[in-house]
Amino acid sequence: MAETPWLPHNEAEPTVQLVLPDGSENTDTQWDHYRNLVKDVDAATWRTWYRDMALMRRFDEEATALQRTGELALFTQARGQEAAQIGSVHATRAQDWIFPAYREHGVLQVRGVPLKEELHLFRGVDHGGWDTEKHHVHLNTLVISAHTLHATGYAMGIQRDGLVATGDPDTDAAVMVYFGDGATSEGDTSEALNFAAVNQAPVVFFCQNNQWAISVPGTRQYRGPLVRRGAGFGVPCVRVDGNDVLAVHAVTREAMERARNGGGPTFIEAVTFRQGAHTTSDDPTRYRGTDEEQYWSQRDPVERVVARLRAMGAWDERFHTEVTHEADEFAAELRTYVRSLGRPASSAMFDHVYATPHAINQTERDWFAGFERDLADGEGGH
Amino acid sequence: MAETPWLPHNEAEPTVQLVLPDGSENTDTQWDHYRNLVKDVDAATWRTWYRDMALMRRFDEEATALQRTGELALFTQARGQEAAQIGSVHATRAQDWIFPAYREHGVLQVRGVPLKEELHLFRGVDHGGWDTEKHHVHLNTLVISAHTLHATGYAMGIQRDGLVATGDPDTDAAVMVYFGDGATSEGDTSEALNFAAVNQAPVVFFCQNNQWAISVPGTRQYRGPLVRRGAGFGVPCVRVDGNDVLAVHAVTREAMERARNGGGPTFIEAVTFRQGAHTTSDDPTRYRGTDEEQYWSQRDPVERVVARLRAMGAWDERFHTEVTHEADEFAAELRTYVRSLGRPASSAMFDHVYATPHAINQTERDWFAGFERDLADGEGGH
Amino acid sequence: MAEQRIPLAKAINAALEAALSADPKVLLMGEDIGPLGGVFRVTADLATKFGEDRVVDTPLAESGIVGTAIGLALRGYRPVCEIQFDGFIFPAFDQITTQLAKLHARSRGRLTVPVVIRVPYGGGIGAVEHHSESPEALFAHTAGLRVVSPANPADAFVMLQEAIACPDPVLFFEPKGQYWAKGDVDLSAGPYATGQSVATQFDTLNTAKVVREGTDVTLIGYGPTVVTALKVAQSAAAEGTSIEVIDLRAISPIDFPTLIESVQKTGRCVVVHEAPVFFGAGAEIAARLTQECFYHLEAPVARVGGFHTPYPPAKIEHDYLPGLERVMDAIDSVLAY
Amino acid sequence: MAEQRIPLAKAINAALEAALSADPKVLLMGEDIGPLGGVFRVTADLATKFGEDRVVDTPLAESGIVGTAIGLALRGYRPVCEIQFDGFIFPAFDQITTQLAKLHARSRGRLTVPVVIRVPYGGGIGAVEHHSESPEALFAHTAGLRVVSPANPADAFVMLQEAIACPDPVLFFEPKGQYWAKGDVDLSAGPYATGQSVATQFDTLNTAKVVREGTDVTLIGYGPTVVTALKVAQSAAAEGTSIEVIDLRAISPIDFPTLIESVQKTGRCVVVHEAPVFFGAGAEIAARLTQECFYHLEAPVARVGGFHTPYPPAKIEHDYLPGLERVMDAIDSVLAY
Ligand SMILES: Cc1ncc(C[n+]2csc(CCOP(=O)(O)OP(=O)(O)O)c2C)c(N)n1
Ligand SMILES: Cc1ncc(C[n+]2csc(CCOP(=O)(O)OP(=O)(O)O)c2C)c(N)n1
Ligand SMILES: [Mg+2]
Ligand SMILES: [Mg+2]
């Protein structure tokens, strides 16, 4: 504790952990329950996870580079949160639904959302807009925590549709909503927990406590342990080492199962760290020290998977090269795509404001079309 | 439990109780701590409490009657909540500050706010407006839970003023904020708990869980026990039999002391019952049964005090008559005052909209004055 | 089915019942709307008829109500939320303004969020603070929302059905002071009552209605002020002034073609609403009408409404509200030009 | 003290510093305003200078920020809240509209709530959704609030000091696109810098300013559009049109006498703001100016502003914003009458 003053209320609270930072198994018997839940996780699964986490990290690097070269206006970096995202999203099934925040690149990727489409927002060509129905991933919003209520309402809809506790594992569905430690302070998150609890809605609240909300540390954000927030609303909760992909997977799997089976919501606090800046506009040196960054880099989630694979004898350079190669190709395609993304037509701003004709919208659209025409004709020029 | 299905999650949760419904002492040793806290409560104090509770009840009856005869537009009935209010407010000291909701007639009364002034709101002559500084009681608001944040901010101010943990019991001050079970669902209440916790502000959150938010019972409002809400935010919490004035006093005294001494906020759930309607416009027969009302009338807080006084040998008919007489006079004065409350000048609506001159406000005030003059002169008549 | 003479509150109840019956995806959400039937009894008996899963008493949290309604709408439901009183809509302001209004556009048309938010609004009923306000302008400024207000039972019955059937989010402001005013209602009208499950026309959400023809002055009101306007027109007629009364119905959009046609005929216009004049709907109407009818206007468009003050205590609310005298005064002033 | 040429953001920082230095009751509250100095560095170094008890990083909750600020103001403090971006003010809408605006009136003048809410607003900086909006009209409609916006560093410096010194709550909208635009600032002006601890005059919160005189058209802007207006005036001058440019500064109240005087002289008027035109400030200005200058106006008051659409993605925001061409076009249109 003494050497990690920036870690708010962390050490004392029980935290599920199955793999130690050095890749060896955590043999603490208090986590037997969770260990048993993921006995089926074999080397192939570990390799899949490694690949997903490596791609996620590469995406982060590539998007950051694209921002640096002016191709993107902004990017929200997720480096360090790979285990939290990949471990949890792999606990979702095709019929489940995800409500992400703005940093869930790994989640989107695993659900099949083309990440290049996520970058539309950061290139300023649209406000997002991937195919939500296809991937069962809803649009994110930059308004912190507003989506926690949408997720809860959506889960109430699934409940009403009779798709909970049917007994058929391919039918039963649940919702997972991602948000940060800062988001827990907004009234909406509390209201969402309460609505979910009262309705016993099938929704899992997955909080990535990455220690920071921009420049504000946990010590100024809440009086923890944050994980207990759920219990205050009658929502079961669990805290997990968010950099341990196996532990994250175990707790999320259990929570999603419970939700699908009619057991109601769960609140998960995944303790992790945002290794990068809040966004490419941010400068963490203004508010945090390198000691903290070092502490967490020793607990890097990707390295832990590599170590685990090594320990299992499932790591080899060929595999590593394969994944690196795939990541290179992925990054190259991303670059090409982003650079090719042109300016949308200005008239697009008038589209889809309403689903049915609205006179003010139509009048302005028409006026603008005429104005653009005149400008093009040189009449409006001064 | 089986016979009281309307009581949400009640029975299992530890609830501080020092006096049983029949007026005898609760000898359960688990509450020794609280019992010791109020060892100083003697017969004289009990008689004061009885008087306050009797007056509060009489006020309720009188204001209800005034509404029935058309002298008030509305009234918020508090019958049944006498112990919760009188027990808690007596734990405040002159230097403390109160932020009431709209049903805290007993609290106002003990703090010296002329209750007739509270009725201005319900007669429609102003929006409240007693002297907040004189009684250290802030204005209430009808916007549920908005004031929980004001109370927290106010407590942060007291903290900044250096009036917490000075060691001088006549200096150290704290804030008490009253709200209902329904109010806990609003995001603002959660944000207030969080701000209070993070700042360790000297504020006590006093929730009167009177089982109903208008027609909505606890079972649809939260998944309890509600008392744990505090803990979810890192705020110590305690549940008390809200119809046991001594127990209420004990827990509130402790919480206020802690706040004044720099120990931060407390969340108190006082389990009580709104015996009357939500307001005089409400009709509880539409949503609750007489079995429930009977259950609670057997636990009436005023009767419990009488029983206690009897058990202590401190009840006599002379005292009873005295208090009844005082209540009669109080009621008579109230009636006279309310009936005499005239219509304010219409121009009053333009007053105090701003503290400094605002042109739109002034222009409209002037226009209105002219318009009224013209009307009076018969020019505006049609 | 034929006409019935029923109060506005009952017409809304009937519209809700028609929608609940016709479409299993319709559900009602709000505080005290279930067993109690709402504080105005607008949802009376609906919980009994359709069950508490479709007429849902929610926790006391307006942001939560609208926010979860958005989620339900994304899932294919058509939630109709009740906000208990005008003054209590503000905790939901963020969800309405940043989320509900924008989801269709953000998804580039892929998603719709057919949420209706019913708001009893307006004053004159002797209520306490926060129970008599008219916040409609605060929603009309935001693109993506529709804002409407019926003035009579017949319109209320059809407009609410159209609002529920409409894929756009709709703020539905109900003039609570008129809840008990009766009118003839054709209970077979409207998308749900006629059994069209998918409506394609939303006439009443888009159009104003000339409710009394006249030639000298156009008097525009909506919701609670239409009754006032009609009374003024009647008494003015006695004095020889012919007033055309328009019930706006829709505040976003505003049916300017109908207004323009009238003002080009009369050359004079008064707008009346209970909301404060400053930054109120009358400003938008006056500004645009002046733009469109500049050479037809004999006088500037006059606005009558609430003052730039908090809604006053009940004893003096009738001097805050735009009553007959003040509207008459404005009529006189535009005629005096 | 003399003049210094500094950017608007720095002028605001200096005003905050002056207030913090002069009055121990002043404190700043907001997200990331402490060690980080705010996402725009407007509060840079203030936490170091005055301590984290006076420059407070709050939890991430706008309602909480404004709500606790109200409590602190009731206790005698003068909280200056920062809302990180325009689009994130809505969670605080209830506290601002139902509480902050009304407490002085509800207490019949006994209480004042001198809370300032600073809001970086407006677009043109290539930002993502919710980071470029102009919601000022949504506050001006509510009585009890003052709404102002400076257009240049000198005004920003004095206006913010007056806002903090003013006993009324003030919504202080800062044109973030102008944060780095420099101007000469008299660092000895304003109630705190001059050492008057109690200001009694709040001129800049009440008055518009003629920033360029002209005779043919009155062009009214505020905040980010004043620069545009001045550019238009300059290029129009080259074409022989004399434009009088007015910087509104105050949106509630609006200084109509100044506007009227100008329009009675020019006979023509254009209002320009970034907020959507529909139900925007231009509507109120046009409606009232037409009322007051009916016989002076040669043309209807024209309004130029954002469209009735969500704020668009950055790549096309310059076609949403009222740029030179569109303002010119409006000037031409009023001149064509
Ligand atoms: C309602 C709202 N207020 C403020 C912001 C500005 N903002 C963007 S991200 C952020 C911090 C979020 O922190 P956290 O919830 O921990 O998520 P993280 O960014 O760490 O993933 C803030 C304050 C916002 N986007 N929305
Ligand atoms: C923001 C807001 N929403 C709705 C209402 C309408 N309303 C008034 S009292 C009430 C129930 C309050 O219940 P609770 O908090 O339990 O307090 P109680 O009335 O039981 O004392 C409701 C819904 C309101 N006043 N404010
Ligand atoms: Mg975070
Ligand atoms: Mg209650």
Side-chain angles (χ1 to χ4, degrees):
Chain A
M1 251 330 241
E3 332 84 70
T4 58
W6 57 83
L7 275 184
H9 342 289
N10 261 7
E11 309 295 309
E13 191 72 7
T15 305
V16 181
Q17 190 191 51
L18 301 179
V19 177
L20 296 170
D22 66 3
S24 62
E25 273 189 81
N26 180 354
T27 51
D28 190 334
T29 53
Q30 71 171 310
W31 307 128
D32 283 352
H33 167 69
Y34 290 103
R35 199 171 292 111
N36 287 331
L37 281 180
V38 287
K39 274 202 305 247
D40 60 330
V41 172
D42 56 12
T45 305
W46 273 104
R47 286 159 72 113
T48 306
W49 290 350
Y50 170 74
R51 173 189 166 275
D52 290 339
M53 289 167 69
L55 284 182
M56 176 176 164
R57 184 159 288 190
R58 184 55 165 271
F59 173 73
D60 219 72
E61 287 161 2
E62 198 53 45
T64 303
L66 283 164
Q67 193 280 332
R68 298 290 178 235
T69 57
E71 299 290 342
L72 298 175
L74 190 83
F75 180 66
T76 51
Q77 301 175 303
R79 185 186 181 101
Q81 303 183 208
E82 290 87 354
Q85 296 190 14
I86 303 299
S88 59
V89 68
H90 273 297
T92 65
R93 299 177 54 108
Q95 70 271 21
D96 295 328
W97 284 82
I98 316 264
F99 283 72
Y102 44 79
R103 206 185 291 287
E104 274 63 76
H105 317 307
V107 173
L108 269 59
Q109 167 195 317
V110 172
R111 292 296 303 200
V113 176
L115 287 186
K116 54 194 188 185
E117 292 183 12
E118 198 201 358
L119 293 182
H120 288 201
L121 173 75
F122 298 117
R123 191 162 166 93
V125 299
D126 60 51
H127 294 317
W130 56 81
D131 188 336
T132 53
E133 302 302 301
K134 188 161 161 202
H135 311 289
H136 281 215
V137 178
H138 266 281
L139 297 184
N140 46 13
T141 173
L142 299 176
V143 182
I144 298 288
S145 106
H147 66 304
T148 59
L149 282 166
H150 308 168
T152 303
Y154 202 90
M156 288 160 62
I158 290 178
Q159 226 175 359
R160 281 181 166 67
D161 289 344
L163 299 179
V164 173
T166 65
D168 175 3
D170 293 328
T171 298
D172 290 345
V175 172
M176 182 128 73
V177 55
Y178 288 92
F179 55 97
D181 43 304
T184 60
S185 296
E186 289 281 5
D188 272 5
T189 304
S190 291
E191 294 189 12
L193 285 165
N194 191 43
F195 272 71
V198 167
N199 291 289
Q200 287 294 285
V203 51
V204 173
F205 292 88
F206 194 90
C207 176
Q208 288 172 78
N209 185 346
N210 64 4
Q211 311 304 318
W212 293 93
I214 308 186
S215 72
V216 180
T219 41
R220 297 201 69 95
Q221 191 70 251
Y222 55 85
R223 192 173 170 87
L226 185 53
V227 62
R228 299 192 192 159
R229 186 66 53 84
F233 290 91
V235 174
C237 36
V238 57
R239 187 172 202 257
V240 65
D241 178 344
N243 287 4
D244 171 355
V245 66
L246 185 64
V248 169
H249 186 69
V251 301
T252 317
R253 202 193 255 192
E254 178 179 57
M256 288 296 283
E257 271 304 305
R258 176 161 54 224
R260 289 188 207 103
N261 293 340
T266 303
F267 179 92
I268 297 172
E269 180 193 3
V271 181
T272 180
F273 185 68
R274 187 197 77 208
Q275 292 182 9
H278 171 68
T279 68
T280 46
S281 304
D282 181 38
D283 174 8
T285 63
R286 286 178 175 264
Y287 52 81
R288 72 183 187 195
T290 47
D291 47 351
E292 179 179 358
E293 291 174 359
Q294 266 157 25
Y295 172 94
W296 283 100
S297 75
Q298 282 152 21
R299 284 155 186 79
D300 183 82
V302 180
E303 280 168 29
R304 195 180 313 191
V305 176
V306 175
R308 181 81 207 114
L309 279 166
R310 278 195 214 280
M312 293 169 76
W315 176 262
D316 59 62
E317 275 313 310
R318 217 186 95 201
F319 171 60
H320 185 199
T321 312
E322 258 172 45
V323 171
T324 309
H325 184 69
E326 189 185 351
D328 287 344
E329 287 191 339
F330 167 63
E333 198 213 317
L334 199 71
R335 266 195 308 276
T336 315
Y337 178 85
V338 165
R339 292 194 181 127
S340 77
L341 264 181
R343 184 186 183 287
S346 291
S347 62
M349 70 177 123
F350 298 101
D351 296 341
H352 309 302
V353 178
Y354 292 91
T356 57
H358 182 282
I360 305 302
N361 174 250
Q362 289 178 311
T363 308
E364 290 187 350
R365 178 212 310 258
D366 294 348
W367 178 88
F368 183 77
F371 178 73
E372 279 210 311
R373 251 195 322 273
D374 290 352
L375 266 192
D377 294 352
E379 291 179 25
H382 282 270
Chain B
M1 252 327 247
E3 330 85 69
T4 57
W6 57 81
L7 275 185
H9 343 287
N10 260 10
E11 310 293 309
E13 191 71 10
T15 305
V16 181
Q17 192 190 49
L18 301 179
V19 177
L20 295 170
D22 66 4
S24 62
E25 272 190 79
N26 180 354
T27 51
D28 189 334
T29 53
Q30 71 171 310
W31 306 128
D32 282 352
H33 167 70
Y34 291 103
R35 199 170 293 110
N36 287 332
L37 281 180
V38 288
K39 274 202 303 247
D40 61 329
V41 172
D42 57 12
T45 306
W46 273 102
R47 285 159 73 115
T48 307
W49 290 351
Y50 169 75
R51 172 192 166 273
D52 289 339
M53 289 167 71
L55 284 184
M56 175 175 165
R57 184 158 288 189
R58 185 52 165 273
F59 174 72
D60 218 72
E61 287 160 3
E62 198 53 43
T64 303
L66 284 165
Q67 192 280 333
R68 299 289 179 235
T69 56
E71 300 290 342
L72 297 175
L74 190 82
F75 180 66
T76 52
Q77 302 175 303
R79 187 187 181 100
Q81 303 182 207
E82 290 86 356
Q85 296 191 14
I86 303 300
S88 58
V89 68
H90 273 297
T92 65
R93 299 176 55 108
Q95 70 270 25
D96 295 328
W97 285 83
I98 316 264
F99 283 73
Y102 44 77
R103 208 186 290 286
E104 275 64 76
H105 318 308
V107 174
L108 269 60
Q109 168 195 315
V110 173
R111 292 296 304 199
V113 175
L115 286 186
K116 53 193 188 185
E117 291 183 12
E118 197 201 1
L119 294 182
H120 288 201
L121 174 75
F122 298 118
R123 190 162 166 96
V125 301
D126 60 51
H127 295 317
W130 56 81
D131 188 336
T132 53
E133 302 302 301
K134 186 161 164 202
H135 312 290
H136 282 215
V137 179
H138 264 279
L139 297 183
N140 46 13
T141 172
L142 299 175
V143 181
I144 298 287
S145 104
H147 65 305
T148 57
L149 282 167
H150 307 169
T152 304
Y154 202 90
M156 289 160 60
I158 290 178
Q159 226 174 0
R160 281 180 167 65
D161 289 344
L163 300 179
V164 173
T166 65
D168 175 2
D170 293 327
T171 298
D172 290 344
V175 172
M176 181 128 73
V177 55
Y178 289 91
F179 54 99
D181 42 305
T184 60
S185 297
E186 290 280 6
D188 272 5
T189 305
S190 291
E191 294 188 12
L193 285 165
N194 191 43
F195 272 71
V198 166
N199 291 290
Q200 288 296 286
V203 51
V204 173
F205 292 88
F206 194 90
C207 176
Q208 289 173 78
N209 185 346
N210 65 5
Q211 313 304 316
W212 293 92
I214 308 188
S215 72
V216 179
T219 43
R220 298 201 68 94
Q221 192 72 249
Y222 56 85
R223 191 173 171 88
L226 185 52
V227 63
R228 299 192 193 160
R229 187 66 52 85
F233 290 90
V235 174
C237 37
V238 56
R239 188 173 200 256
V240 64
D241 179 344
N243 287 4
D244 172 356
V245 66
L246 186 64
V248 168
H249 186 70
V251 301
T252 315
R253 202 191 256 193
E254 177 179 57
M256 289 295 284
E257 270 305 304
R258 177 161 53 222
R260 289 186 207 104
N261 293 339
T266 303
F267 179 92
I268 297 173
E269 180 193 0
V271 181
T272 180
F273 186 67
R274 188 196 78 208
Q275 292 181 10
H278 170 69
T279 69
T280 47
S281 303
D282 181 38
D283 174 8
T285 65
R286 288 178 175 263
Y287 54 81
R288 72 184 189 195
T290 47
D291 46 353
E292 179 180 356
E293 292 174 358
Q294 265 156 28
Y295 171 95
W296 283 101
S297 75
Q298 282 153 22
R299 283 153 187 79
D300 183 83
V302 180
E303 281 169 27
R304 198 179 312 189
V305 176
V306 176
R308 181 81 209 116
L309 279 166
R310 279 195 211 281
M312 293 169 74
W315 176 263
D316 59 62
E317 275 314 310
R318 215 184 100 202
F319 172 60
H320 184 197
T321 312
E322 255 172 47
V323 173
T324 309
H325 183 68
E326 189 185 354
D328 287 344
E329 286 192 340
F330 167 61
E333 198 213 319
L334 197 71
R335 264 196 307 278
T336 315
Y337 179 85
V338 165
R339 290 197 181 122
S340 77
L341 263 182
R343 184 186 182 286
S346 292
S347 62
M349 71 178 121
F350 298 100
D351 297 341
H352 308 302
V353 178
Y354 292 91
T356 57
H358 182 283
I360 306 299
N361 174 249
Q362 289 178 310
T363 309
E364 290 187 351
R365 177 212 310 260
D366 294 347
W367 178 90
F368 184 77
F371 178 73
E372 278 209 312
R373 252 194 323 273
D374 290 352
L375 266 192
D377 295 350
E379 290 179 26
H382 281 272
Chain C
M1 287 281 285
E3 305 233 317
Q4 272 194 35
R5 199 168 169 73
I6 53 174
L8 196 145
K10 177 74 199 145
I12 290 169
N13 180 282
L16 293 171
E17 179 166 357
L20 284 161
S21 299
D23 184 351
K25 292 292 187 182
V26 171
L27 82 166
L28 315 189
M29 304 167 67
E31 297 157 7
D32 306 293
I33 66 168
L36 181 63
V39 293
F40 291 106
R41 311 289 180 267
V42 168
T43 55
D45 305 326
L46 297 177
T48 312
K49 286 180 192 155
F50 298 95
E52 296 195 24
D53 267 356
R54 297 193 63 205
V55 182
V56 185
D57 269 346
T58 64
L60 205 177
E62 291 75 13
S63 189
I65 294 170
V66 175
T68 55
I70 290 171
L72 281 154
L74 290 173
R75 183 71 196 176
Y77 287 84
R78 302 188 96 83
V80 183
C81 306
E82 174 175 302
I83 298 292
Q84 198 161 83
F85 283 91
D86 33 66
F88 306 138
I89 196 169
F90 302 113
F93 205 84
D94 181 51
Q95 285 288 345
I96 296 171
T97 307
T98 72
Q99 305 298 310
L100 186 59
K102 293 183 172 56
L103 264 160
H104 185 63
R106 303 181 65 229
S107 67
R108 287 179 285 158
R110 281 199 181 110
L111 304 171
T112 56
V113 270
V115 173
V116 174
I117 302 180
R118 297 180 37 242
V119 191
Y121 84 121
I125 62 161
V128 288
E129 205 187 359
H130 305 293
H131 291 69
S132 305
E133 303 185 2
S134 299
E136 63 275 11
L138 302 178
F139 300 96
H141 190 43
T142 295
L145 303 174
R146 292 175 169 279
V147 182
V148 303
S149 179
N152 58 63
D155 268 353
F157 184 65
V158 175
M159 285 171 74
L160 183 52
Q161 290 182 65
E162 289 193 357
I164 300 171
C166 182
D168 292 318
V170 182
L171 275 286
F172 193 86
F173 283 97
E174 302 172 359
K176 69 168 93 76
Q178 299 295 318
Y179 268 155
W180 309 116
K182 287 189 180 178
D184 291 328
V185 177
D186 176 359
L187 290 170
S188 66
Y192 292 107
T194 54
Q196 302 164 231
S197 64
V198 182
T200 48
Q201 296 278 8
F202 303 98
D203 264 13
T204 63
L205 307 183
N206 287 290
T207 56
K209 203 166 71 176
V210 177
V211 289
R212 178 184 173 120
E213 299 203 352
T215 51
D216 300 337
V217 181
T218 300
L219 178 56
I220 302 171
Y222 56 82
T225 60
V226 175
V227 175
T228 316
L230 286 168
K231 282 192 197 140
V232 166
Q234 198 164 358
S235 76
E239 297 185 15
T241 305
S242 166
I243 296 184
E244 177 141 311
V245 177
I246 298 185
D247 175 359
L248 203 58
R249 299 202 295 200
I251 300 153
S252 174
I254 292 174
D255 177 9
F256 281 109
T258 297
L259 309 192
I260 291 166
E261 192 184 322
S262 176
V263 172
Q264 290 189 342
K265 175 173 71 178
T266 61
R268 291 178 164 87
C269 180
V270 174
V271 191
V272 52
H273 51 59
E274 290 193 3
V277 166
F278 191 60
F279 279 77
E284 180 59 38
I285 294 171
R288 207 162 296 213
L289 279 180
T290 309
Q291 181 80 40
E292 303 294 333
C293 309
F294 191 63
Y295 290 124
H296 292 86
L297 278 171
E298 306 286 341
V301 176
R303 297 179 287 160
V304 190
F307 297 109
H308 188 67
T309 71
Y311 195 93
K315 289 273 189 220
I316 58 174
E317 67 179 329
H318 288 288
D319 279 327
Y320 171 90
L321 292 170
L324 294 186
E325 284 92 358
R326 274 170 56 205
V327 179
M328 270 309 200
D329 184 66
I331 297 275
D332 288 349
S333 80
V334 298
L335 284 169
Y337 271 75
Chain D
M1 290 276 287
E3 303 234 316
Q4 272 195 33
R5 197 165 171 75
I6 54 173
L8 197 144
K10 178 71 198 142
I12 292 171
N13 181 282
L16 294 171
E17 180 166 354
L20 284 161
S21 299
D23 183 352
K25 292 292 187 183
V26 171
L27 82 167
L28 315 189
M29 305 167 65
E31 296 157 10
D32 306 291
I33 66 167
L36 181 63
V39 293
F40 291 106
R41 310 291 180 265
V42 168
T43 55
D45 305 325
L46 297 176
T48 313
K49 286 179 192 155
F50 298 96
E52 296 195 24
D53 267 357
R54 296 192 63 206
V55 182
V56 185
D57 268 345
T58 65
L60 206 178
E62 291 76 12
S63 189
I65 295 170
V66 176
T68 54
I70 291 172
L72 281 155
L74 290 173
R75 182 73 196 174
Y77 287 83
R78 301 189 98 82
V80 183
C81 306
E82 173 175 302
I83 298 293
Q84 198 162 85
F85 283 91
D86 35 66
F88 306 138
I89 196 169
F90 302 114
F93 205 86
D94 181 52
Q95 284 289 346
I96 297 171
T97 307
T98 72
Q99 306 298 312
L100 184 59
K102 294 184 170 55
L103 264 160
H104 185 63
R106 303 180 65 227
S107 67
R108 288 179 284 157
R110 281 200 182 111
L111 304 172
T112 56
V113 269
V115 175
V116 174
I117 303 180
R118 295 181 38 241
V119 191
Y121 84 122
I125 62 160
V128 288
E129 205 185 359
H130 306 295
H131 291 70
S132 306
E133 303 186 3
S134 300
E136 62 276 11
L138 302 178
F139 300 97
H141 191 42
T142 295
L145 303 175
R146 291 176 172 279
V147 183
V148 303
S149 179
N152 58 65
D155 269 355
F157 184 66
V158 175
M159 286 172 74
L160 183 52
Q161 290 182 65
E162 288 194 357
I164 299 171
C166 182
D168 293 317
V170 182
L171 274 287
F172 193 85
F173 284 97
E174 302 172 0
K176 70 169 92 76
Q178 300 295 318
Y179 268 154
W180 309 115
K182 289 189 178 177
D184 290 328
V185 177
D186 175 0
L187 289 171
S188 66
Y192 293 107
T194 54
Q196 302 165 231
S197 64
V198 181
T200 48
Q201 296 279 7
F202 304 98
D203 263 11
T204 64
L205 307 181
N206 286 292
T207 55
K209 201 166 72 174
V210 177
V211 288
R212 178 185 173 119
E213 299 203 352
T215 52
D216 300 336
V217 181
T218 300
L219 179 55
I220 303 169
Y222 56 83
T225 61
V226 175
V227 176
T228 315
L230 286 168
K231 281 194 197 140
V232 167
Q234 196 165 358
S235 76
E239 296 185 16
T241 305
S242 166
I243 297 184
E244 177 143 310
V245 178
I246 299 184
D247 176 359
L248 203 58
R249 298 201 297 199
I251 301 153
S252 175
I254 292 173
D255 177 9
F256 281 109
T258 298
L259 307 193
I260 290 166
E261 191 184 324
S262 176
V263 173
Q264 288 187 344
K265 173 174 70 175
T266 61
R268 291 178 165 85
C269 181
V270 175
V271 191
V272 52
H273 51 59
E274 289 193 5
V277 167
F278 192 60
F279 279 78
E284 180 61 37
I285 294 171
R288 206 162 297 211
L289 277 182
T290 308
Q291 182 81 40
E292 304 294 332
C293 309
F294 192 63
Y295 289 124
H296 292 85
L297 277 172
E298 306 287 339
V301 176
R303 297 180 286 158
V304 190
F307 297 110
H308 188 65
T309 70
Y311 195 92
K315 289 274 187 216
I316 59 175
E317 67 180 326
H318 288 287
D319 279 328
Y320 171 91
L321 292 169
L324 295 187
E325 284 91 358
R326 275 169 56 203
V327 178
M328 270 311 197
D329 184 66
I331 298 274
D332 289 350
S333 80
V334 299
L335 284 170
Y337 270 77

